[in-house]
Amino acid sequence: MRALIFAVRSLVRQPGRTALGIIGIAAVGALLFDMLLLSRGLVVSFRDLLDSVGFDVRVTATDSPLPGGIRLTDATGAAAQIARLPGVAEAVPMRTATGEVWQTGRPVIGLMLTGMDPGARRPWTLITGADLGPSLAPPDLVVNQSLMDEVGGALGSEVTLRTGCDSSRAALAPRTFRIVGIAQFPFDDEAQRTAVMTRTALREACGDDKDEADMLMVASSGGAGAAVAAIRAARPDLVPVTNEQIVARMQTQGFTYFRQISAVLSTITLLFGFLLITVLLTVSVNQRLAEIAALRALGFSRGRAAADVLLQGAMLVGAGGILALPLGFALSLWLDQILKAMPGIPASMHFFVFEPRALVLHAALLVTTALLASAYPMWLVARLPIATTLRNEVVG
Amino acid sequence: MIGRRAAIAALCAAVAALSSVASSAPSPAPDILVSRQLLESQQLQVGDVVSLSSDTSGANPRSFRIAGQYEPTPDPMRLGAVRLEVRMHLPDVVGLTAQSDPLDAESVDAINVVLANDDEARATVRRLMTAVPGTLAERTGNDERRAAPFVVLERFHLAIAIVTVIASSVFLLALMLMLVEERRATVGMLRLIGFRRSRILQHVLAEGVVIAITGALFGVVLSVVLEGGINRFFQWRYDTALVFVHITPGVALRSVTVAVPLGVAAIFASSWSLLRGEGISLTRR
């Protein structure tokens, strides 16, 4: 306790230097904290996004979990067969396409289209209006707010839509749809225009007699792993993947840049923090050599003198580290806002996501840095020759 | 009016069904180019004949001869993706992928167009989209949509740089405060023997400029030295020819322009208390 008070007094005696040291460590610590949030932010956010949809398994024809690739055939039959499997609560076929809204005298509006069979779970949240119904004259359309704003009509109004179902097909004739609701789609980015209709309506709009789907969205009842095993056994020709597996794949491929930059910047900030604390403590010790030698002559042990240096380092890092948390949080909001301007990033995804492990890692890294940075000045203090130092100081 | 160049570059995504057949016997198989990554991963060689299929089950394969390997164009958006790719002539792609629909043989994903006059690009795009409904025509150059991710990344790096500069400035200020503290007695002596404040201020500023310029130049040299190492590491890590760090004269100049005034300001700010103090008090005697 006395050592602690002594270290506090040593720091308070030089308030300017101490304050600058704490601010410097806080700035470095804030950057480190942000890099730790960034290192797993996209992965955590993406996993949350996938889970929020309500389906925990996706079944495709190939090992690509993204829509737009090779479609699976006899989708209705496959969905019915999978829905009957033990551990599966629901299986819903989903098909995607592109579309264009045609309005007289106005520019064409491009959009992403999804066709889904009706089910208990729907991967969108209805904001206003009604959800999709079975009507085909004209078919129902649920749109996102961005598309609704561009179309400019009211709920219940009709729009002329041309669908693009296959890149190798000629453009199809436009058809009329009725906008029945506005919904929020979890994977939309800020500017994306999205609409959803029933898969039957989409098939008709595509002029397609094939019962195809980009994927089957599956909700498990006894865990995603068991559902995947059951699907593999029943349909070895299909590829079921869990949300966790999709996240793991994205972690090694899609989000690797941000993990790398996070690792590089974390290393640099730690090195910077190490230098800062080492220089502060070393110069401080060098300026206090006479004082330390006098204390040793009065009976302070080597351990006590070294502990004083260590405690000063710990207090600088502790205060700076605590200050770094709100500073880092505020900084992460700013950086997140910058990165979310990237096209194609869903509006509900974040690059910087807080996890308790980030806090623990942040504290552990700062403590390790403080210990390493204090080692050299502690060694200087422990090896200080008392008589020689006092004589030199008096003669000097 | 419009010069048109055939869109030959076609990628075949049927890599999963690729298998090596024979390498010695002469074959009428059409030529293909194989990406370096695919060649290495499948241990293929130039001259090998391989079977490709557009079906995941490997059904209806066709034989092709590997005429050469190529390095895929570096694409920052595909960082981390293993570039298992094949380039073949357009009729070969059509023949490989066409199904029962007669339109398949007449379909391409895109047509690359070279204009005789670049200034007509906007008007041509408008004309094409009006003349052929359902066609999307866009300029490849000055494409803001494609550049957007990199503009965002540039902003992000700038923000990180600002935070780093702030942290560095605080560090520098703390360091200079301690160094100035050590020179308190010297400055006091100079004041006592008749040096004016302005004279000492000039000395402090000159020293600050020299230290700041030296530090900034050292930083530039260090970054140039590290540039090669960082690029080599990430090029190895991602198996790409992309350049990750490129220190241009403009970047170096910007760094020096920021670092030198900051360094001088830190030295000046830390010396302020010495310049204001009286000589006798500074010597502590």
Side-chain angles (χ1 to χ4, degrees), chain A residues 5-347:
Chain A
I5 294 167
F6 192 76
V8 170
R9 282 182 180 160
S10 299
L11 289 174
V12 170
R13 207 170 55 177
Q14 292 165 320
R17 182 189 303 180
T18 303
L20 283 174
I22 290 171
I23 293 169
I25 292 164
V28 168
L31 199 54
L32 175 66
F33 185 56
D34 283 352
M35 290 307 113
L36 292 174
L37 299 186
L38 178 65
S39 66
R40 280 175 47 84
L42 271 178
V43 173
V44 173
S45 193
F46 187 58
R47 189 178 54 209
D48 291 348
L49 197 61
L50 285 176
D51 290 344
S52 72
V53 171
F55 297 93
D56 50 1
V57 176
R58 279 154 178 77
V59 181
T60 50
T62 67
D63 63 351
S64 168
L66 301 174
I70 294 173
R71 298 194 185 106
L72 52 90
T73 51
D74 186 23
T76 310
Q81 185 186 358
I82 288 171
R84 286 195 296 272
L85 293 173
V88 173
E90 189 177 14
V92 183
M94 188 198 85
R95 182 171 170 179
T96 58
T98 56
E100 290 171 346
V101 175
W102 286 70
Q103 292 170 298
T104 314
R106 294 179 64 180
V108 171
I109 304 166
L111 68 144
M112 290 301 299
L113 272 172
T114 303
M116 276 201 84
D117 285 356
R121 295 168 181 79
R122 295 194 165 178
W124 60 84
T125 308
L126 195 69
I127 300 170
T128 179
D131 215 332
L132 294 178
S135 167
L136 287 174
D140 290 348
L141 197 66
V142 171
V143 301
N144 70 353
Q145 190 64 56
S146 177
L147 179 57
M148 193 69 195
D149 292 343
E150 288 233 23
V151 170
L155 283 178
S157 61
E158 293 185 351
V159 288
T160 307
L161 196 69
R162 187 208 295 272
T163 50
C165 306
D166 199 327
S167 59
S168 63
R169 296 287 180 278
L172 295 159
R175 292 172 66 99
T176 304
F177 291 82
R178 176 176 285 116
I179 299 175
V180 294
I182 301 172
Q184 205 169 25
F185 296 88
F187 290 96
D188 280 359
D189 66 30
E190 296 287 353
Q192 192 166 317
R193 296 174 291 259
T194 306
V196 64
M197 60 180 77
T198 61
R199 201 164 59 92
T200 311
L202 185 58
R203 275 175 67 186
E204 287 208 358
C206 290
D208 210 347
D209 54 355
K210 286 183 279 187
D211 181 15
E212 291 183 330
D214 285 336
M215 64 172 68
L216 303 180
M217 311 279 282
V218 176
S220 71
S221 56
V228 163
I231 295 167
R232 278 206 186 113
R235 291 295 301 261
D237 57 318
L238 299 180
V239 184
V241 284
T242 63
N243 288 353
E244 284 299 325
Q245 287 169 329
I246 295 172
V247 169
R249 199 177 298 181
M250 293 303 281
Q251 197 169 4
T252 54
Q253 292 175 3
F255 304 148
T256 185
Y257 174 80
F258 291 102
R259 279 197 300 122
Q260 294 293 333
I261 198 167
S262 153
V264 169
L265 285 175
S266 297
T267 311
I268 291 173
T269 49
L270 280 174
L271 197 67
F272 199 71
F274 169 79
L275 278 175
L276 175 62
I277 302 165
T278 306
V279 169
L280 278 177
L281 291 180
T282 305
V283 175
S284 174
V285 162
N286 281 334
Q287 287 178 349
R288 292 173 53 218
L289 284 180
E291 179 191 323
I292 294 166
L295 289 170
R296 290 288 314 281
L298 287 172
F300 269 53
S301 66
R302 282 175 200 273
R304 176 71 193 278
D308 178 45
V309 175
L310 181 63
L311 282 171
Q312 283 187 45
M315 277 188 284
L316 281 175
V317 171
I322 290 169
L323 200 61
L325 295 179
L327 204 61
F329 180 71
L331 185 62
S332 73
L333 294 180
W334 179 45
L335 294 176
D336 197 54
Q337 198 182 9
I338 290 174
L339 285 177
K340 278 186 75 174
M342 204 173 277
I345 297 292

Side-chain angles (χ1 to χ4, degrees), chain A residues 336-361:
Chain A
D336 197 54
Q337 198 182 9
I338 290 174
L339 285 177
K340 278 186 75 174
M342 204 173 277
I345 297 292
S348 48
M349 256 180 94
H350 296 280
F351 287 79
F352 298 83
V353 178
F354 176 77
E355 284 183 296
R357 69 187 290 278
L359 198 60
V360 174
L361 199 57

Side-chain angles (χ1 to χ4, degrees), chain B residues 258-282:
Chain B
V258 172
V260 171
L262 268 178
V264 173
I267 290 169
F268 184 73
S270 57
S271 306
W272 186 246
S273 62
L274 292 189
L275 296 170
R276 289 186 62 196
E278 292 300 325
I280 193 73
S281 65
L282 292 172

